[in-house]
Amino acid sequence: MRKPLWRGLSGRGGFLVAVPMLAILAVPLIALAGASSPADIAAGTRHPLFGPALWLSARSTVAALAVIVLAGTPLAWWMAGPSRHRFRIVEVLVDLPIVIPPAVMGIALLQTFGQSGVFGPALSSFGIDVPFTTTAVVMAQVVVAAPFYIQAAATAFRAVDEDLLIVARTLGQSPTGAFFRVAVPLALPGMVAGAALSWARALGEFGATLIFAGNFIGSTQTMPLAIYTALESDTRVAVALALVLAAASALLLVPLRAVPALAQAPRRHRDR
């Protein structure tokens, strides 16, 4: 019997082949971690740019994630159903923000909500100006980050056994009740993982935010934009902000990896 291919690549030789790519990924992060002393980082966090940018990033990404989950979950459920085969264009539209440069999405948002955009004049007649506001920050984050949650949630919903939904309906559950009491609990690990990825993407959003919302301290300057600004004057602040972003992303990996494993543990126990 032939050995599986992965066993032949998992030894020392396989590791040596993997080292170059691993180094490309790890060395810049190691360099960032050692770029400043604790005193420099503390001084950077006391800079006037740091606090407002951190607070704006926190509240805007939480708002963006709430919009993504509330509006994206129904779309993910629909995409997981049999009707998706008739509307492949929907999946293409959902995936486009992942491959389109964020700057292009920023221009698209301006063409939609700007003063000369599709909805801009109508909104202006009601005294509503979206571009270059905190609302624009949230909208930019939603547009670029939503695909990560929607695709993860749709994949999780596709894995739900349809027979369980049928049983729930025969026991008197409405379609909505079957969705919330059967589909959502079973798909929750994948939904949480997608939400974590989406939140991380929103936290690091730069291009669409810069073009559509601008770079104004306290109202539209998120942490990535503050890094961009700080590099022109004070590298310590830029490094401090970069380290906070990197630490937040690293902390996200813990629940991102743990939730699916925890969800599989009871299933493995039942199989025994």
Side-chain angles (χ1 to χ4, degrees):
M1 181 181 295
R2 293 194 318 180
K3 293 182 179 180
L5 180 61
W6 65 267
R7 290 188 178 179
L9 297 176
S10 61
R12 181 178 300 176
F15 174 74
L16 292 177
V17 174
V19 164
M21 191 68 238
L22 184 62
I24 291 173
L25 296 174
V27 170
L29 296 176
I30 295 173
L32 175 64
S36 296
S37 66
D40 290 335
I41 296 174
T45 57
R46 292 192 295 268
H47 193 278
L49 284 178
F50 186 88
L54 180 62
W55 171 236
L56 178 61
S57 287
R59 58 193 177 96
S60 64
T61 53
V62 168
L65 185 59
V67 173
I68 291 169
V69 172
L70 291 176
T73 300
L75 176 57
W77 176 247
W78 180 85
M79 289 174 59
S83 60
R84 71 181 187 276
H85 298 295
R86 300 195 301 269
F87 301 98
R88 290 292 186 185
I89 186 64
V90 175
E91 293 188 357
V92 174
L93 291 174
V94 169
D95 288 339
L96 270 178
I98 297 177
V99 297
I100 291 179
V104 175
M105 294 306 302
I107 294 174
L109 287 168
L110 275 178
Q111 292 301 312
T112 304
F113 299 101
Q115 291 184 353
S116 59
V118 176
F119 300 115
L123 292 173
S124 296
S125 65
F126 291 99
I128 301 174
D129 293 320
V130 176
F132 310 109
T133 63
T134 303
T135 301
V137 174
V138 175
M139 293 178 66
Q141 292 170 345
V142 168
V143 168
V144 300
F148 295 91
Y149 172 76
I150 294 170
Q151 290 293 5
T155 301
F157 283 136
R158 291 188 189 110
V160 174
D161 190 346
E162 190 174 355
D163 291 340
L164 297 176
L165 299 175
I166 296 174
V167 170
R169 293 297 307 277
T170 58
L171 293 176
Q173 289 292 331
S174 64
T176 302
F179 172 74
F180 282 107
R181 301 191 66 174
V182 178
V184 170
L186 291 175
L188 191 59
M191 295 170 66
V192 171
L197 285 175
S198 187
W199 185 81
R201 178 63 186 88
L203 187 63
E205 161 51 30
F206 177 81
T209 305
L210 180 62
I211 292 176
F212 183 50
N215 187 13
F216 305 106
I217 297 176
S219 59
T220 67
Q221 187 180 82
T222 57
M223 292 177 69
L225 293 174
I227 293 172
Y228 175 76
T229 302
L231 281 173
E232 300 177 355
S233 58
D234 194 337
T235 306
R236 292 182 304 175
V237 182
V239 172
L241 283 165
L243 286 173
V244 171
L245 276 175
S249 300
L251 289 175
L252 275 176
L253 287 178
V254 176
L256 188 63
R257 299 298 183 187
V259 169
L262 290 174
Q264 291 295 331
R267 191 174 304 173
R268 288 194 298 266
H269 181 72
R270 289 194 302 266
D271 292 341
R272 291 178 183 176

